[in-house]
Amino acid sequence: LDLVWSSRYAQFPDLSKIQVDFPALKIIKKFIQSHKTLKTQGLVTDSHKYLYDMVSKAHKKGQPINLINIDHHHDCYGSGQLPEIDCGNWMIQMVENRYNRLVSPQDISYTWIKREDSDCEEFSKRFNWGKSASIDYLNSVEGFTIDLLFICRSGVWSPPHLDKQFIKFVEEMVYDLPFYHIQPEVAETRYTDKFVNNFQIELEFIKMAHEQMKTDE
């Protein structure tokens, strides 16, 4: 994955200019800090698929689930009839998995906090047990306490140069919880000197190749 990202930085230098949406991050931080308690359990990983296991271990049969997912994607892709759980179908698996369904549609409240450019056409047409909302919705949530706090880096989708901001966010959100676990690989930045050096070498190679093409023409 590091090789893929290194290649992307070399091919698309403007990728380095992508920054954190700080106004949205401020709302998210306020929401978490306002609703977490000393009983909140935290889990930080690199894939959403681990959230299914986290909820499964904590959930009691017949117990309703109130889940707020803050993400670019709704993670209800594919079919809940397939046994394999991945980062794109963990949510639909909770409700529609015929092998190990966690909760019935009438017992779940699922709110997907989306971005303005999120693709929600499939979600709005297909799932009547969930709703979507903008980031401002978090400012209106009351009477809500967080039992499980799951934070995911999603290294496939998140550029490595943003890792330091992600790590800082994790420190602020979970380090004061009595119970939390962080996957070691997401506790450190991928954007190391070695990583930067690798894509800069590739970038120079691409530039040289382009210059050679112009010369040949």
Side-chain angles (χ1 to χ4, degrees):
L1 191 57
D2 283 349
L3 289 174
V4 173
W5 274 116
S6 179
S7 177
R8 291 293 183 270
Y9 278 99
Q11 295 176 52
F12 308 102
D14 285 348
L15 182 62
S16 303
K17 298 179 181 179
I18 294 176
Q19 296 298 319
V20 173
D21 183 348
F22 286 104
L25 186 63
K26 183 178 180 180
I27 294 175
I28 294 170
K29 286 182 178 181
K30 180 181 178 182
F31 170 76
I32 294 175
Q33 296 287 23
S34 300
H35 298 281
K36 69 181 183 180
T37 71
L38 291 178
K39 294 182 179 180
T40 300
Q41 298 180 44
L43 177 63
V44 185
T45 75
D46 198 48
S47 174
H48 284 94
K49 67 180 182 180
Y50 299 108
L51 178 55
Y52 182 95
D53 289 335
M54 184 186 191
V55 175
S56 178
K57 291 176 181 177
H59 181 254
K60 297 177 182 178
K61 191 173 182 179
Q63 182 183 36
I65 294 178
N66 189 351
L67 196 152
I68 296 178
N69 179 32
I70 307 168
D71 197 333
H72 183 67
H73 306 101
H74 53 69
D75 290 349
C76 293
Y77 300 100
S79 171
Q81 304 306 311
L82 300 177
E84 185 175 351
I85 299 168
D86 58 42
C87 62
N89 71 7
W90 62 267
M91 184 60 233
I92 193 175
Q93 289 281 11
M94 286 188 184
V95 183
E96 297 185 5
N97 188 332
R98 64 180 177 182
Y99 300 93
N100 189 22
R101 187 173 70 180
L102 294 185
V103 63
S104 299
Q106 64 269 21
D107 292 324
I108 187 166
S109 172
Y110 174 57
T111 305
W112 169 42
I113 305 299
K114 60 182 179 64
R115 286 168 38 126
E116 290 184 2
D117 57 346
S118 293
D119 183 4
C120 55
E121 182 177 357
E122 177 188 9
F123 181 80
S124 59
K125 287 182 178 179
R126 184 176 172 189
F127 305 104
N128 56 12
W129 41 261
K131 66 179 180 180
S132 62
S134 68
I135 190 74
D136 292 330
Y137 169 83
L138 296 178
N139 291 323
S140 65
V141 177
E142 298 179 353
F144 182 89
T145 56
I146 300 174
D147 298 309
L148 305 177
L149 174 60
F150 180 83
I151 301 175
C152 183
R153 185 176 69 180
S154 292
V156 174
W157 301 97
S158 304
H161 73 274
L162 299 179
D163 282 0
K164 287 186 178 180
Q165 288 291 341
F166 173 81
I167 293 170
K168 180 181 178 182
F169 173 70
V170 169
E171 291 174 350
E172 294 176 356
M173 296 300 104
V174 305
Y175 275 26
D176 61 341
L177 297 177
F179 309 103
Y180 68 85
H181 174 73
I182 302 175
Q183 281 186 338
E185 56 265 38
V186 299
E188 298 181 359
T189 179
R190 296 165 292 168
Y191 202 69
T192 61
D193 290 341
K194 180 180 179 181
F195 178 88
V196 173
N197 185 58
N198 285 343
F199 80 71
Q200 287 180 340
I201 291 175
E202 186 172 352
L203 178 59
E204 289 303 315
F205 178 81
I206 291 174
K207 289 180 179 179
M208 290 174 59
H210 285 169
E211 289 300 321
Q212 185 62 47
M213 289 177 62
K214 290 180 180 179
T215 301
D216 293 342
E217 291 175 355

mmCIF file of all heavy atoms in Angstrom, residues 139-162:
data_model
loop_
_atom_site.group_PDB
_atom_site.id
_atom_site.type_symbol
_atom_site.label_atom_id
_atom_site.label_comp_id
_atom_site.label_asym_id
_atom_site.label_seq_id
_atom_site.Cartn_x
_atom_site.Cartn_y
_atom_site.Cartn_z
ATOM 1 N N ASN A 139 -24.566 18.708 15.921
ATOM 2 C CA ASN A 139 -24.785 19.786 16.897
ATOM 3 C C ASN A 139 -26.150 19.692 17.569
ATOM 4 O O ASN A 139 -26.374 20.307 18.611
ATOM 5 C CB ASN A 139 -24.660 21.149 16.204
ATOM 6 C CG ASN A 139 -23.233 21.457 15.780
ATOM 7 O OD1 ASN A 139 -22.291 21.121 16.477
ATOM 8 N ND2 ASN A 139 -23.079 22.096 14.628
ATOM 9 N N SER A 140 -27.065 18.915 16.975
ATOM 10 C CA SER A 140 -28.424 18.840 17.507
ATOM 11 C C SER A 140 -28.686 17.576 18.320
ATOM 12 O O SER A 140 -29.772 17.412 18.867
ATOM 13 C CB SER A 140 -29.446 18.912 16.351
ATOM 14 O OG SER A 140 -29.324 17.770 15.508
ATOM 15 N N VAL A 141 -27.704 16.677 18.387
ATOM 16 C CA VAL A 141 -27.906 15.402 19.082
ATOM 17 C C VAL A 141 -27.907 15.613 20.591
ATOM 18 O O VAL A 141 -26.962 16.168 21.160
ATOM 19 C CB VAL A 141 -26.814 14.383 18.697
ATOM 20 C CG1 VAL A 141 -26.998 13.092 19.488
ATOM 21 C CG2 VAL A 141 -26.859 14.097 17.206
ATOM 22 N N GLU A 142 -28.978 15.158 21.240
ATOM 23 C CA GLU A 142 -29.100 15.265 22.693
ATOM 24 C C GLU A 142 -29.504 13.916 23.276
ATOM 25 O O GLU A 142 -30.024 13.048 22.581
ATOM 26 C CB GLU A 142 -30.134 16.333 23.071
ATOM 27 C CG GLU A 142 -29.778 17.740 22.609
ATOM 28 C CD GLU A 142 -30.836 18.762 22.983
ATOM 29 O OE1 GLU A 142 -31.904 18.339 23.493
ATOM 30 O OE2 GLU A 142 -30.612 19.962 22.763
ATOM 31 N N GLY A 143 -29.257 13.743 24.557
ATOM 32 C CA GLY A 143 -29.642 12.508 25.228
ATOM 33 C C GLY A 143 -28.956 11.282 24.652
ATOM 34 O O GLY A 143 -29.544 10.206 24.566
ATOM 35 N N PHE A 144 -27.718 11.437 24.263
ATOM 36 C CA PHE A 144 -26.991 10.364 23.590
ATOM 37 C C PHE A 144 -25.654 10.165 24.282
ATOM 38 O O PHE A 144 -24.886 11.104 24.457
ATOM 39 C CB PHE A 144 -26.770 10.760 22.123
ATOM 40 C CG PHE A 144 -26.070 9.730 21.274
ATOM 41 C CD1 PHE A 144 -26.792 8.764 20.598
ATOM 42 C CD2 PHE A 144 -24.680 9.715 21.170
ATOM 43 C CE1 PHE A 144 -26.152 7.823 19.805
ATOM 44 C CE2 PHE A 144 -24.031 8.788 20.380
ATOM 45 C CZ PHE A 144 -24.767 7.829 19.702
ATOM 46 N N THR A 145 -25.359 8.944 24.710
ATOM 47 C CA THR A 145 -24.052 8.639 25.275
ATOM 48 C C THR A 145 -23.372 7.580 24.412
ATOM 49 O O THR A 145 -24.029 6.681 23.878
ATOM 50 C CB THR A 145 -24.157 8.118 26.726
ATOM 51 O OG1 THR A 145 -25.011 6.977 26.757
ATOM 52 C CG2 THR A 145 -24.711 9.193 27.642
ATOM 53 N N ILE A 146 -22.075 7.696 24.284
ATOM 54 C CA ILE A 146 -21.310 6.785 23.432
ATOM 55 C C ILE A 146 -20.837 5.580 24.240
ATOM 56 O O ILE A 146 -20.026 5.726 25.161
ATOM 57 C CB ILE A 146 -20.099 7.512 22.817
ATOM 58 C CG1 ILE A 146 -20.565 8.688 21.958
ATOM 59 C CG2 ILE A 146 -19.257 6.549 21.984
ATOM 60 C CD1 ILE A 146 -19.429 9.557 21.431
ATOM 61 N N ASP A 147 -21.349 4.412 23.900
ATOM 62 C CA ASP A 147 -20.875 3.179 24.532
ATOM 63 C C ASP A 147 -19.603 2.683 23.852
ATOM 64 O O ASP A 147 -18.657 2.263 24.528
ATOM 65 C CB ASP A 147 -21.955 2.089 24.447
ATOM 66 C CG ASP A 147 -23.226 2.467 25.175
ATOM 67 O OD1 ASP A 147 -23.130 2.858 26.356
ATOM 68 O OD2 ASP A 147 -24.308 2.393 24.566
ATOM 69 N N LEU A 148 -19.606 2.722 22.528
ATOM 70 C CA LEU A 148 -18.467 2.261 21.741
ATOM 71 C C LEU A 148 -18.023 3.384 20.797
ATOM 72 O O LEU A 148 -18.826 3.902 20.041
ATOM 73 C CB LEU A 148 -18.843 1.025 20.915
ATOM 74 C CG LEU A 148 -19.414 -0.175 21.682
ATOM 75 C CD1 LEU A 148 -19.809 -1.282 20.705
ATOM 76 C CD2 LEU A 148 -18.426 -0.690 22.703
ATOM 77 N N LEU A 149 -16.756 3.729 20.863
ATOM 78 C CA LEU A 149 -16.189 4.755 19.991
ATOM 79 C C LEU A 149 -15.177 4.089 19.067
ATOM 80 O O LEU A 149 -14.138 3.603 19.512
ATOM 81 C CB LEU A 149 -15.511 5.850 20.812
ATOM 82 C CG LEU A 149 -14.750 6.927 20.029
ATOM 83 C CD1 LEU A 149 -15.680 7.678 19.089
ATOM 84 C CD2 LEU A 149 -14.047 7.887 20.978
ATOM 85 N N PHE A 150 -15.504 4.054 17.785
ATOM 86 C CA PHE A 150 -14.644 3.407 16.795
ATOM 87 C C PHE A 150 -14.080 4.461 15.860
ATOM 88 O O PHE A 150 -14.827 5.214 15.238
ATOM 89 C CB PHE A 150 -15.451 2.379 16.002
ATOM 90 C CG PHE A 150 -14.658 1.641 14.956
ATOM 91 C CD1 PHE A 150 -13.899 0.536 15.294
ATOM 92 C CD2 PHE A 150 -14.675 2.061 13.638
ATOM 93 C CE1 PHE A 150 -13.166 -0.147 14.332
ATOM 94 C CE2 PHE A 150 -13.950 1.392 12.664
ATOM 95 C CZ PHE A 150 -13.191 0.277 13.014
ATOM 96 N N ILE A 151 -12.747 4.498 15.757
ATOM 97 C CA ILE A 151 -12.079 5.450 14.875
ATOM 98 C C ILE A 151 -11.235 4.665 13.876
ATOM 99 O O ILE A 151 -10.454 3.794 14.256
ATOM 100 C CB ILE A 151 -11.190 6.425 15.674
ATOM 101 C CG1 ILE A 151 -12.022 7.193 16.701
ATOM 102 C CG2 ILE A 151 -10.484 7.399 14.736
ATOM 103 C CD1 ILE A 151 -11.201 8.087 17.610
ATOM 104 N N CYS A 152 -11.406 4.974 12.607
ATOM 105 C CA CYS A 152 -10.745 4.207 11.555
ATOM 106 C C CYS A 152 -9.906 5.120 10.660
ATOM 107 O O CYS A 152 -10.381 6.163 10.221
ATOM 108 C CB CYS A 152 -11.786 3.471 10.717
ATOM 109 S SG CYS A 152 -11.088 2.417 9.439
ATOM 110 N N ARG A 153 -8.668 4.705 10.407
ATOM 111 C CA ARG A 153 -7.813 5.499 9.523
ATOM 112 C C ARG A 153 -8.132 5.280 8.044
ATOM 113 O O ARG A 153 -8.002 6.184 7.229
ATOM 114 C CB ARG A 153 -6.333 5.162 9.768
ATOM 115 C CG ARG A 153 -5.384 6.034 8.956
ATOM 116 C CD ARG A 153 -3.934 5.764 9.285
ATOM 117 N NE ARG A 153 -3.508 4.436 8.827
ATOM 118 C CZ ARG A 153 -2.285 3.954 8.993
ATOM 119 N NH1 ARG A 153 -1.391 4.683 9.644
ATOM 120 N NH2 ARG A 153 -1.962 2.754 8.554
ATOM 121 N N SER A 154 -8.540 4.065 7.694
ATOM 122 C CA SER A 154 -8.821 3.732 6.292
ATOM 123 C C SER A 154 -7.644 4.108 5.402
ATOM 124 O O SER A 154 -7.742 4.991 4.537
ATOM 125 C CB SER A 154 -10.097 4.430 5.795
ATOM 126 O OG SER A 154 -11.233 3.910 6.430
ATOM 127 N N GLY A 155 -6.533 3.428 5.603
ATOM 128 C CA GLY A 155 -5.309 3.754 4.889
ATOM 129 C C GLY A 155 -5.408 3.659 3.385
ATOM 130 O O GLY A 155 -4.632 4.293 2.668
ATOM 131 N N VAL A 156 -6.370 2.882 2.879
ATOM 132 C CA VAL A 156 -6.557 2.782 1.433
ATOM 133 C C VAL A 156 -7.053 4.106 0.863
ATOM 134 O O VAL A 156 -6.738 4.476 -0.267
ATOM 135 C CB VAL A 156 -7.556 1.650 1.101
ATOM 136 C CG1 VAL A 156 -7.866 1.630 -0.383
ATOM 137 C CG2 VAL A 156 -6.996 0.304 1.540
ATOM 138 N N TRP A 157 -7.837 4.843 1.658
ATOM 139 C CA TRP A 157 -8.468 6.073 1.186
ATOM 140 C C TRP A 157 -7.783 7.340 1.691
ATOM 141 O O TRP A 157 -7.960 8.418 1.104
ATOM 142 C CB TRP A 157 -9.935 6.114 1.635
ATOM 143 C CG TRP A 157 -10.750 4.966 1.148
ATOM 144 C CD1 TRP A 157 -11.042 3.816 1.833
ATOM 145 C CD2 TRP A 157 -11.369 4.824 -0.127
ATOM 146 N NE1 TRP A 157 -11.802 2.977 1.061
ATOM 147 C CE2 TRP A 157 -12.022 3.571 -0.151
ATOM 148 C CE3 TRP A 157 -11.439 5.637 -1.252
ATOM 149 C CZ2 TRP A 157 -12.728 3.115 -1.249
ATOM 150 C CZ3 TRP A 157 -12.153 5.182 -2.363
ATOM 151 C CH2 TRP A 157 -12.784 3.935 -2.353
ATOM 152 N N SER A 158 -7.015 7.246 2.771
ATOM 153 C CA SER A 158 -6.478 8.444 3.416
ATOM 154 C C SER A 158 -5.006 8.665 3.075
ATOM 155 O O SER A 158 -4.163 7.810 3.360
ATOM 156 C CB SER A 158 -6.615 8.324 4.945
ATOM 157 O OG SER A 158 -7.960 8.100 5.300
ATOM 158 N N PRO A 159 -4.655 9.799 2.487
ATOM 159 C CA PRO A 159 -3.270 10.091 2.134
ATOM 160 C C PRO A 159 -2.357 10.096 3.364
ATOM 161 O O PRO A 159 -2.713 10.665 4.403
ATOM 162 C CB PRO A 159 -3.347 11.493 1.510
ATOM 163 C CG PRO A 159 -4.762 11.642 1.071
ATOM 164 C CD PRO A 159 -5.573 10.885 2.067
ATOM 165 N N PRO A 160 -1.184 9.473 3.271
ATOM 166 C CA PRO A 160 -0.274 9.373 4.417
ATOM 167 C C PRO A 160 0.150 10.697 5.033
ATOM 168 O O PRO A 160 0.442 10.758 6.231
ATOM 169 C CB PRO A 160 0.942 8.636 3.823
ATOM 170 C CG PRO A 160 0.356 7.780 2.750
ATOM 171 C CD PRO A 160 -0.724 8.636 2.136
ATOM 172 N N HIS A 161 0.175 11.789 4.240
ATOM 173 C CA HIS A 161 0.635 13.055 4.820
ATOM 174 C C HIS A 161 -0.350 13.615 5.850
ATOM 175 O O HIS A 161 -0.017 14.555 6.580
ATOM 176 C CB HIS A 161 0.926 14.095 3.727
ATOM 177 C CG HIS A 161 -0.287 14.676 3.074
ATOM 178 N ND1 HIS A 161 -0.927 14.086 2.003
ATOM 179 C CD2 HIS A 161 -0.982 15.810 3.339
ATOM 180 C CE1 HIS A 161 -1.951 14.831 1.636
ATOM 181 N NE2 HIS A 161 -2.018 15.887 2.419
ATOM 182 N N LEU A 162 -1.546 13.019 5.934
ATOM 183 C CA LEU A 162 -2.526 13.441 6.938
ATOM 184 C C LEU A 162 -2.455 12.609 8.218
ATOM 185 O O LEU A 162 -3.218 12.843 9.158
ATOM 186 C CB LEU A 162 -3.946 13.349 6.357
ATOM 187 C CG LEU A 162 -4.231 14.226 5.129
ATOM 188 C CD1 LEU A 162 -5.656 14.018 4.646
ATOM 189 C CD2 LEU A 162 -3.986 15.692 5.453
#
